[in-house]
Every structure is written in structure tokens, then in C-alpha cells.
Amino acid sequence: MKGGKGRDLECQKTKVGKESNGNSVEKEIPSCCLKANASAPEDEAKCHSTVVSGWFSECHGLFFNNPMWPGEAHSIKVEKILYKEKSEFQEVLVFESSAYGKVLVLDGIVQLTDKDECAYQEMIAHLPLCSILSPKTVLVVGGGDGGVLREVCRHSSVNHVDICEIDEMVIDVSRKFFPELAVGFEDPRVHLHVGDAIDFLQCAPEGKYDAIIVDSSDPVGPAQELVEKPFFKTIAKALRPGGVLCNMAESMWLHTHLIQDMISICQETFSGSVRYAWASVPTYPSGVIGFILCSTEGPPVDFVNPINPIEKVEGAAKHRRELRFYNSQMHKAAFALPAFLKWEVSCTARLHDVGPH
């Protein structure tokens, strides 16, 4: 699930228009708009997403220009709104679409759909876990829909999984509307912690985890701290020598500057390998999503060539639900970068010559 787990801002009211008599009209600005404004306070254009005339659109309606994907809006035809409530942290929307099945939206941003959730959930889990031998202890940051848990639990070597999700409503909604994902919570190896992941990690014993998977918010507003150096240093401390991190890392088509920043920070923080991978997810802005993979100092990790192929883990391919996207060929292909991104990432790597690239 992409987004929605950072510390949030409450909705506020502001004057956004005028009635025919010239009086100002106060309307509620949702937290997605406040997040966007927090990252670019000088930009008064804010995003707003809603369902209009049977279509859901990100960055549609009263405001345009979300700084994460300015100048565009992705629309999905809505058959029926199934759920819409505001939690302590964000607005939660579930609707049935005509093309993608059920869709989960947090603060106006599509998190997953029935049709393409497999790509994101499977890649963010198996890229790190298939890169190390016999992972045993795993932490999932965010991921309140349960999909990453479902994938982590395919690995029979795993004996303990912690998940830290800040918004309990996301978990409850997933259990009701997305049982194929929420099945991850049913595994006895899973231990749920509802709360702030930063606080949780600061209390984690040093070297506890073989792998940490961060299914984080877009780095705007309060979630900015989830892509800053102190957060990554806390993660590195919680990993064992040779342990691995997989962190959602935005779109190569829209956020090259953010990818460069994350790579630079990770190369300064992690003493092992730092690599960038990507996958196709049609309902995410630009149709792709990226992942940054890092390892701590210790046994070397070759992320490109899976040392623990999922095909050789007994029963893994059909655990809970058949694998639909990931395999060892897709694993290797995920690290093949387009020329423009390879050049820009290589430039970043030369500035911080840490680990194999």
C-alpha cells in the first residue's frame, strides 16, 4: 500500500471561492491538500480528489497541482462507493471500479486495487527477502492492508513478523473489503503494533531484524521525515549485519530528484549495497513505482541475483494466494534501469562511493 502512514495534519477550513453576491465561501480542505501545501507552502494551488459524475480523480476538483505529480490527474470510473470515513489521521475511501475491482484510497491517493495490488505487494516483499538466505525476523512499516504481510509469510524460514501501522481504521477496512490482502494478519507469526513507526523503531533492539520493509507515504508534509537521514539511521541500527531494507521510492518519471536524494542518504547511512529497482503498477501516477534496497555492513548482498529464489521455497508460490507478478526473472529485470535514470543514478553514486553499484 503506497502512502497514508505518515504523521498527518487535520483538515482545516479556508476561503476558497466566492458566492454570486461576492461573499467568501469557507470549504474544508482535506488533509491531502494540506500535505501538499506543507511541502510547498509558497504554492497556493492545492490538490483535491473526489468523485464527480461517477469518476474518481486524483488531483481533481477545486484544486489542481499536487507537487508530487503536477499537471496531471488519473481518473477511474466508479461503480459504487463502498466506504468513506475519516480516521484520526486521514480520509479512507473504498469504491468499486469498473476496470480494477475494489479500490482503496487514503487522503485522495490510490493505494491499491484488486487488479494490480499483486505487483506492488509482491515486489516490495520478495525483492529483499529473496536476496538473503533464510530470513527469520522481519519488520513491516505501514502496510495496514495486510498485503505485504501475506507476501512475507510465503517464506517458511520467517518465524517472526512485526508490523507497525499508525491507522487502525486502515486495518479494519482492509479486513472488511480486501480479505485477500488482510489474510496476512491471520498468520500466527505476525505481531501487530498500532502506533507511530518512528517511535517503534527507536525502541527496537539493535540488530533485531533480518529485513525491514517500509511501505511509506509519499514524502510530502509530515511524512517527509520518513525519507530523511535520521529515520534511515534508525532502520540501519535495527538491522543485523548483512540485513536488508526495501523502501518505496517513487516514480522514475516524476521524482528523479527525490530518488537521487534517497540514494545519497542511503549511501551515507548503509555500508553495504544500495540499489534501485522498479515495477509496473498501472494505477500509480505514471504507471510505475520504485524501490530502494540497502544492506548493512556484513555478509555482502547481491540484490540483482536472488540467492533465495521463491520458486525453491516449498509451497511459497501458492501460499494463501498464487503469485501473480513476482518471479526470479522479474526480480532481475527490476534492476535494469532506463538510460536516463541509469545516468542520473550513476552520477549520484559517484558522489558517494559507498558499496557496489
Side-chain angles (χ1 to χ4, degrees), residues 99-117:
Y100 288 93
K102 291 188 295 296
V103 180
L104 174 64
V105 179
L106 299 181
D107 275 346
I109 308 299
V110 171
Q111 307 299 303
L112 60 89
T113 77
D114 283 336
K115 187 172 185 176
D116 65 8
E117 58 87 5

Side-chain angles (χ1 to χ4, degrees), residues 1 25 55 57 89 97 117 119 152 191 205 220 239 243 257 317 356:
M1 178 173 65
V25 180
W55 288 82
S57 296
F89 303 98
S97 72
E117 58 87 5
V152 168
H191 303 268
V220 296
L239 286 168
H257 60 295

